[in-house]
Amino acid sequence: MSVPADRPLLARALPELRPLDASAAGRALDELRLAADREGEEALAEALARSSPVSAFLAAALDLSPFFRDTLRKRPAIAGRMLAQAPDARLREIEEAVAAAAAAAETVEASLMRELRLAKNEAQIWIALAELAGEADTAQTVERLSALADACVRASVGFLLREACRAGKLSLPDPSQPGQGSGFIVLGMGKLGARELNFSSDIDLILFFEPQAEALRGLADAGDLFVRLARRLVRILSERTEHGYVFRTDLRLRPDPGSTPLAIPVEAALHYYEGRGQNWERAAMIKARALAGDLDAGERFLAELRPYVWRKHLDYAAIADIHSIKRQVHAHRGHAAVAVRGHNVKLGRGGIREVEFFVQTQQLIAGGRFPELRGRQTVTMLDELARQGWISVDVRDALARDYWFLRRVEHALQMARDEQTHTLPEDGAELTRIARLLGFAGEEDFSEGLRATLRDVETHYAALFEKAPELSAGIGNLVFTGDVDDPGTLQTLRSLGFERPSDISRVVRTWHYGRYRATRSAEARERLTELTPALLAAFARTGRADDTAIRFDAFLAGLPAGIQLFSLLHSNRPLLELLVTVLGAAPRLAAIITRRPHVFDGLLDPTLMSELPDRAHLHGRLQAFLAGTGRYEDVLDRLRIFAAEQKFLVGVRLLTGVTGPARAGRAFSDLADLTLAETLKAVEAEFAAKHGRVANGAVALLGMGKLGSRELTAGSDVDLILLYDHAPDAAASDGPKPLAPSLYYARLTQRLIAAVSAPTAEGVLFELDLRLRPSGNMGPVAVAVQTFGRYQRSEAWTWEHMALTRARSVAGDPELCARAEAEAAEVIALPRERAKVLGDAREMRARLLKEKPPRDLWDLKLVRGGLIELEFIAQCANLCGAVEGSPRRETGEALGRLAPDFASAAQRDALKDAFRLFSALTQIVRLCLTESLDPSAVSPGLTELILRAVDLPDWAVLEAHLKDAQHRVAAIFDEIVGSPA
């Protein structure tokens, strides 16, 4: 026999509820009866004073739900009305009262907020107890909760629009129907949009406005107005006061919430969805419903959005989109036991989200061709999928049953304490509370039923994607949809080794918003989604997962386009690993690639992993790169671009072992030679345009230090001396603004320094050091070749002659370059007393130790037994004629040819081996790091690179090897040169 719909709630045949604690239930009932007496609720007090189904039901409900107990004790009139009214009648009254309060002219915001909170509080109690009493099933409960939310949102929006109209900010066509013609569109999303709200749910809204709406005519700042209304709407609904809150309101489902206002113009929104909308946003829009404000405008907007949500053809792109969402919501295929305690019935395995996604996925696939599949409600669409033949009737019935059971569990969790939770308690007593709210005897019976439901959902959900690519297999849950962190994803990131999983989750989400040029196309975002699990796993393998992810984000931000690169990385995993290695282990190279992502194009060269191109090939590439560049500034920028790309490619070859440290040093030096020569050529031409040229004038650049010896590293400064010559009788240059020769070449040198080392939009070419010129910083920046020769013969110190052993002409007039090198060779060949040379070198080393003490054994240049002592030995040998054959600029070559009367064969071999070790370490460290090496902070990736470069098994062995080499070099230095101590 059916029960009349108008039967009072507590006048029905009530189910038997078992309290958690019978004594506590009795005390709670007594407290409610006393409260009813105080408030004059005589009928309720009388009903509770005697043993009856009503008192038994309420006692158990009060014990099982502290929320019921506390609310009814404060407001016993609510329970009193349940003896006289049916739920639907009372809920209609509440909604009508809310609407009337919002429409009253005398209502102010504070009073509206109070009325809404009291109304919502009472309605919640009615709706929850109606489900517990068996008056309503779960489908009716979610419908009632949604209707309540609709009423509160509509009342709040209507109040705000009327107030704006009274203030002269809007011209509403009909203030009694404030939404009509207002242009203000309020879309309900998610469970609110589908009228499937849960007991303590947030409500998801998206707010748009039509700038051309009738109410906005003549209004210039409509955007500002609606943003202010949006903020007030959120405050009215969400702010917690002494009366609680109405609904926690979330506006983050709007387009690109991190960079858009709270209310968005319709045209801007349509442009976003059509150009940059994401897969999850398509799925979210299935449930979108115009629920407040200008309903006609809302329907027009949703109609325009239909082609974006519902694609007409089931093509590859559509299926890829579906698979993309699937990869972001990981389906667990195994059926291992689920621990009921602590399980999340919404997001966990076999949970509500999987049922919803099962439905939405097939809606996206087929809804374009079958309008019947475009509905918002989950179970209704299960029925329609079965009717259309997409699923069987058995699957429909099973998932519908599972869905409503899980929703009941969700409601029980939330109605216990009015908490927004989906996670079952870990505590046994608390889990028993939930079980009894659901009508189970206790935890065991409930757990058995829940596990069966979860297994059933999991089976159907996983079967839906049996053929979908599982790129995230073995990694775990990876959900980057929406604007809220997924707990499972945070756990996955944490297990991979990310220290700031929430930050990384946010970074990955931004990739999908299309803010970067590389991710603006839907296809690029799809490829990046496919790549994300592999990227995250690769980041994790660097040992610096967070830093590597941030550097990849910076790289991504600078890419001009992405789809080709993402596809390439997807199909070429060694290239992906190489990119991640650079980002994770080589901050210096990473800085190049993030500032200039185009250098990554060089990695696509099929000859990359073969030997380095020789100088002639590099020269040809540079000339082609500069061809057609006219403006001086453009030439300088293109030189910087070319140098950065080639440094990067040399570095990559060094990192991958394609080339060795010595060869890399020569390649870096060749690159410097070629780009300095082109810079000098451009500077001379630009300078001559203003100042003309000096008669028979010529310039030669002498490379000193590591440039001269062709041992440059990725981070080396460039040591130069600029020499010049001209006709003896030249008084001034012949340009519009003539200069005397000495001033001409000094200014020219200053212009060259700026051209090489001044930062432009493309950075700097090289950092310059001119301190090795005659008289150092006190001398002129440009030196006449005759002056240079005289100085070197009569005034130069021994250390200057030592530096001269590495001098090499790198650019300028060929004849003057040859003359300068001959001059240097003659000075080096001058007869010297070996004891004087070695004594001066010893004193200089002692001074350096005092003025620049080494930090630790990794200060490879300054440490005792380090590179400086190796270089000093080689330079002294060159000056003393103790290098067999002829003087050698390259330190390693000179050490390998030390004369027997200068060093024994054993000493020579030890010095060569040490130089090879120190050079290899220096090349790798200077390539990868912008600062000095700190062994305690070396990443695993860099550790691996260093160990591979020196062919040693682990860091401890390397440190022991390094200390031993330094001790041997220091001992040999003391034997040959003398102890600097």
Side-chain angles (χ1 to χ4, degrees):
M1 179 177 173
S2 62
V3 178
D6 58 354
R7 175 77 61 88
L9 178 58
L10 295 181
R12 304 170 53 84
L14 298 169
E16 182 181 349
L17 279 182
R18 294 182 59 188
L20 198 60
D21 182 330
S23 297
R27 289 193 298 273
L29 191 69
D30 288 341
E31 290 171 357
L32 177 57
R33 181 176 54 78
L34 291 172
D37 273 336
R38 283 195 307 271
E39 297 293 327
E41 294 292 331
E42 296 175 3
L44 177 62
E46 184 180 342
L48 299 182
R50 61 179 184 271
S51 177
S52 68
V54 171
S55 58
F57 173 78
L58 283 177
L62 297 174
D63 180 56
L64 293 172
S65 170
F67 171 64
F68 294 162
R69 183 189 64 217
D70 295 343
T71 302
L72 292 178
R73 193 168 52 197
K74 292 175 186 176
R75 302 177 64 190
I78 296 175
R81 283 189 282 271
M82 291 178 180
L83 292 169
Q85 286 187 279
D88 282 334
R90 181 54 189 162
L91 290 172
R92 277 195 302 273
E93 288 179 359
I94 292 172
E95 291 171 16
E96 289 166 0
V98 164
E106 67 276 7
T107 299
V108 296
E109 188 170 304
S111 64
L112 176 64
M113 290 172 68
R114 178 180 183 277
E115 290 299 322
L116 287 172
R117 281 153 179 75
L118 293 175
K120 187 257 187 172
N121 189 245
E122 177 175 353
Q124 244 184 329
I125 295 291
W126 274 93
I127 294 168
L129 285 175
E131 181 168 336
L132 276 185
E135 186 273 343
D137 59 20
T138 311
Q140 288 172 285
T141 296
V142 299
E143 177 69 36
R144 285 171 171 174
L145 288 166
S146 303
L148 172 65
D150 283 6
C152 293
V153 174
R154 285 174 182 157
S156 302
V157 170
F159 167 80
L160 291 169
L161 291 173
R162 289 189 190 94
E163 191 181 70
C165 182
R166 286 195 294 269
K169 296 175 182 177
L170 285 174
S171 300
L172 296 176
D174 181 2
S176 68
Q177 301 290 326
Q180 186 176 323
S182 68
F184 193 29
I185 299 170
V186 181
L187 296 187
M189 305 294 292
K191 287 184 168 61
L192 176 59
R195 293 188 171 90
E196 295 173 341
L197 215 56
N198 57 54
F199 187 75
S200 293
S201 183
D202 287 358
I203 57 172
D204 294 299
L205 303 177
I206 303 183
L207 310 179
F208 302 114
F209 65 92
E210 284 190 333
Q212 308 307 317
E214 185 177 352
L216 301 179
R217 287 176 186 167
L219 182 64
D221 59 347
D224 290 343
L225 170 64
F226 285 119
V227 166
R228 288 195 297 272
L229 294 186
R231 288 199 186 98
R232 291 182 63 192
L233 176 63
V234 171
R235 183 172 70 249
I236 288 171
L237 294 172
S238 298
E239 188 173 280
R240 188 176 287 274
T241 72
E242 60 182 311
H243 302 293
Y245 63 95
V246 189
F247 289 96
R248 288 173 293 261
T249 305
D250 195 334
L251 303 182
R252 290 177 295 180
L253 288 183
R254 69 185 185 277
D256 198 355
S259 60
T260 53
L262 299 180
I264 302 171
V266 163
E267 286 301 320
L270 290 171
H271 180 74
Y272 168 86
Y273 286 122
E274 290 163 5
R276 296 165 55 196
Q278 300 174 58
N279 298 312
W280 68 266
E281 289 174 305
R282 284 185 64 210
M285 277 295 167
I286 291 176
K287 295 182 181 292
R289 173 170 62 92
L291 65 85
D294 195 332
L295 299 179
D296 291 340
E299 293 300 335
R300 287 195 299 272
F301 174 80
L302 291 174
E304 286 200 60
L305 210 56
R306 278 188 203 122
Y308 159 70
V309 180
W310 307 111
R311 297 180 179 174
K312 291 183 178 179
H313 306 290
L314 182 59
D315 57 9
Y316 171 80
I319 296 172
D321 278 351
I322 307 309
H323 287 170
S324 171
I325 302 174
K326 161 61 180 64
R327 282 189 293 276
Q328 294 176 341
V329 184
H330 182 64
H332 298 266
R333 297 174 181 273
H335 298 310
V338 174
V340 171
R341 295 188 183 191
H343 189 75
N344 188 310
V345 297
K346 177 181 178 182
L347 300 177
R349 289 170 52 184
I352 297 165
R353 176 66 61 82
E354 292 189 358
V355 181
E356 293 171 338
F357 191 70
F358 178 94
V359 173
Q360 288 175 312
T361 295
Q362 295 178 92
Q363 285 183 275
L364 287 175
I365 291 173
R369 290 180 296 158
F370 300 98
E372 300 88 348
L373 292 175
R374 297 178 187 177
R376 300 183 179 97
Q377 295 183 309
T378 303
V379 173
T380 302
M381 286 300 98
L382 278 171
D383 196 49
E384 193 61 46
L385 285 168
R387 188 176 295 113
Q388 298 283 342
W390 286 84
I391 60 174
S392 70
V393 171
D394 289 344
V395 170
R396 175 200 66 189
D397 293 346
L399 284 179
R401 180 179 62 249
D402 295 338
Y403 177 76
W404 287 127
F405 175 72
L406 292 170
R407 294 303 306 271
R408 281 184 63 220
V409 175
E410 177 184 47
H411 287 173
L413 279 168
Q414 295 175 349
M415 69 173 63
R417 288 185 169 82
D418 189 23
E419 293 175 339
Q420 188 198 21
T421 181
H422 303 89
T423 302
L424 289 161
E426 299 278 0
D427 178 75
E430 287 300 308
L431 194 58
T432 300
R433 181 192 304 278
I434 302 305
R436 292 189 177 174
L437 277 168
L438 292 165
F440 288 93
E443 178 183 353
E444 186 175 342
D445 292 347
F446 167 62
S447 296
E448 184 180 342
L450 179 65
R451 284 197 189 97
T453 297
L454 297 174
R455 283 196 298 270
D456 194 43
V457 170
E458 185 181 19
T459 298
H460 295 303
Y461 177 65
L464 185 62
F465 294 102
E466 284 176 352
K467 297 181 181 179
E470 277 293 333
L471 297 182
S472 61
I475 294 178
N477 209 50
L478 290 175
V479 181
F480 299 107
T481 59
D483 198 59
V484 180
D485 290 337
D486 169 63
T489 299
L490 296 185
Q491 181 56 42
T492 297
L493 293 174
R494 203 172 286 112
S495 67
L496 284 172
F498 289 90
E499 295 178 358
R500 295 172 291 152
S502 183
D503 290 343
I504 299 306
S505 179
R506 176 182 50 76
V507 167
V508 175
R509 283 200 300 272
T510 64
W511 299 349
H512 301 287
Y513 281 119
R515 294 177 190 167
Y516 300 155
R517 286 178 296 173
T519 61
R520 281 183 187 160
S521 76
E523 193 174 357
R525 292 194 296 276
E526 163 65 15
R527 297 287 84 76
L528 182 57
T529 297
E530 292 176 345
L531 196 60
T532 297
L535 279 171
L536 292 172
F539 296 160
R541 286 192 292 274
T542 67
R544 292 286 178 83
D546 300 77
D547 292 345
T548 309
I550 297 301
R551 289 183 187 133
F552 181 80
D553 179 63
F555 167 65
L556 201 61
L559 281 176
I563 188 166
Q564 290 180 329
L565 174 64
F566 302 151
S567 298
L568 180 66
L569 293 177
H570 186 269
S571 61
N572 188 337
R573 290 309 166 91
L575 189 61
L576 183 149
E577 293 293 340
L578 175 58
L579 172 62
V580 172
T581 296
V582 168
L583 294 172
R588 184 184 292 277
L589 286 185
I592 293 175
I593 202 172
T594 52
R595 284 198 306 268
R596 302 182 182 87
H598 59 265
V599 305
F600 194 77
D601 295 345
L603 297 182
L604 309 184
D605 187 337
T607 66
L608 174 70
M609 293 307 168
S610 60
E611 183 52 53
L612 279 170
D614 59 22
R615 184 185 177 107
H617 179 76
L618 200 59
H619 180 261
R621 294 281 298 272
L622 177 57
Q623 295 306 311
F625 193 70
L626 294 175
T629 308
R631 291 177 64 247
Y632 174 68
E633 291 78 8
D634 292 343
V635 172
L636 299 187
D637 276 345
R638 289 186 75 77
L639 285 168
R640 282 159 167 74
I641 293 169
F642 183 81
E645 179 172 330
Q646 294 303 320
K647 278 184 188 178
F648 177 76
L649 295 178
V650 172
V652 166
R653 290 178 170 101
L654 181 57
L655 287 185
T656 54
V658 169
T659 194
R663 182 71 185 88
R666 292 193 290 275
F668 285 131
S669 302
D670 287 343
L671 178 62
D673 289 358
L674 293 170
T675 52
L676 286 170
E678 291 299 327
T679 305
L680 177 62
K681 191 186 304 181
V683 167
E684 286 188 297
E686 178 75 5
F687 197 72
K690 182 181 291 185
H691 300 289
R693 296 185 184 274
V694 178
N696 294 333
V699 169
L701 286 183
L702 274 187
M704 308 293 286
K706 282 185 164 52
L707 175 61
S709 59
R710 303 185 77 218
E711 295 163 347
L712 277 186
T713 70
S716 293
D717 292 350
V718 168
D719 295 299
L720 290 177
I721 298 176
L722 186 139
L723 303 178
Y724 66 88
D725 194 20
H726 56 81
D729 57 351
S733 60
D734 58 7
K737 296 183 177 181
L739 297 171
S742 60
L743 183 57
Y744 181 96
Y745 289 109
R747 295 267 185 89
L748 177 69
T749 304
Q750 289 165 345
R751 181 67 67 90
L752 177 66
I753 293 169
V756 173
S757 59
T760 73
E762 298 297 337
V764 299
L765 186 58
F766 293 101
E767 297 290 348
L768 285 186
D769 191 338
L770 277 73
R771 289 175 296 178
L772 291 178
R773 67 185 186 271
S775 301
N777 285 339
M778 303 301 292
V781 291
V783 184
V785 68
Q786 301 90 341
T787 304
F788 177 74
R790 286 195 302 271
Y791 177 86
Q792 291 291 345
R793 282 178 167 81
S794 61
E795 299 179 47
W797 297 70
T798 299
W799 69 264
E800 291 178 284
H801 288 167
M802 291 168 63
L804 198 62
T805 64
R806 302 167 85 177
R808 177 175 62 87
S809 61
V810 299
D813 178 78
E815 289 185 11
L816 185 59
C817 284
R819 184 177 162 191
E821 284 199 2
E823 188 71 42
E826 288 177 12
V827 171
I828 292 167
L830 291 173
R832 292 177 177 81
E833 293 182 15
R834 181 178 294 189
K836 172 74 164 60
V837 171
L838 297 178
D840 288 348
R842 181 173 62 251
E843 287 180 12
M844 185 178 176
R845 181 66 182 119
R847 189 181 310 119
L848 284 172
L849 282 171
K850 181 179 179 181
E851 295 175 358
K852 295 183 178 181
R855 293 179 306 275
D856 53 29
L857 66 92
W858 289 98
D859 196 343
L860 297 172
K861 179 179 179 181
L862 296 176
V863 70
R864 274 250 50 202
L867 278 170
I868 276 188
E869 292 179 15
L870 289 168
E871 291 169 353
F872 274 23
I873 291 171
Q875 291 162 12
C876 288
N878 271 319
L879 287 180
C880 296
V883 175
E884 293 182 330
S886 61
R888 304 297 300 183
R889 299 186 185 97
E890 300 89 346
T891 304
E893 289 286 330
L895 293 173
R897 298 187 181 192
L898 294 177
D901 67 335
F902 194 82
S904 68
Q907 288 176 326
R908 185 175 60 227
D909 290 343
L911 294 174
K912 279 174 55 183
D913 290 345
F915 181 76
R916 194 176 297 116
L917 172 65
F918 299 166
S919 296
L921 291 172
T922 300
Q923 283 289 358
I924 292 292
V925 171
R926 295 302 298 276
L927 174 69
C928 294
L929 300 180
T930 54
E931 299 175 351
S932 57
L933 184 143
D934 176 1
S936 66
V938 175
S939 70
L942 180 54
T943 299
E944 183 180 342
L945 292 173
I946 290 173
L947 292 174
R948 186 174 65 198
V950 296
D951 196 23
L952 290 173
D954 60 48
W955 197 262
V957 172
L958 170 59
E959 287 200 338
H961 199 61
L962 184 59
K963 288 177 183 176
D964 182 60
Q966 289 168 349
H967 289 153
R968 279 185 288 136
V969 170
I972 295 170
F973 184 89
D974 291 352
E975 292 170 14
I976 294 175
V977 180
S979 172

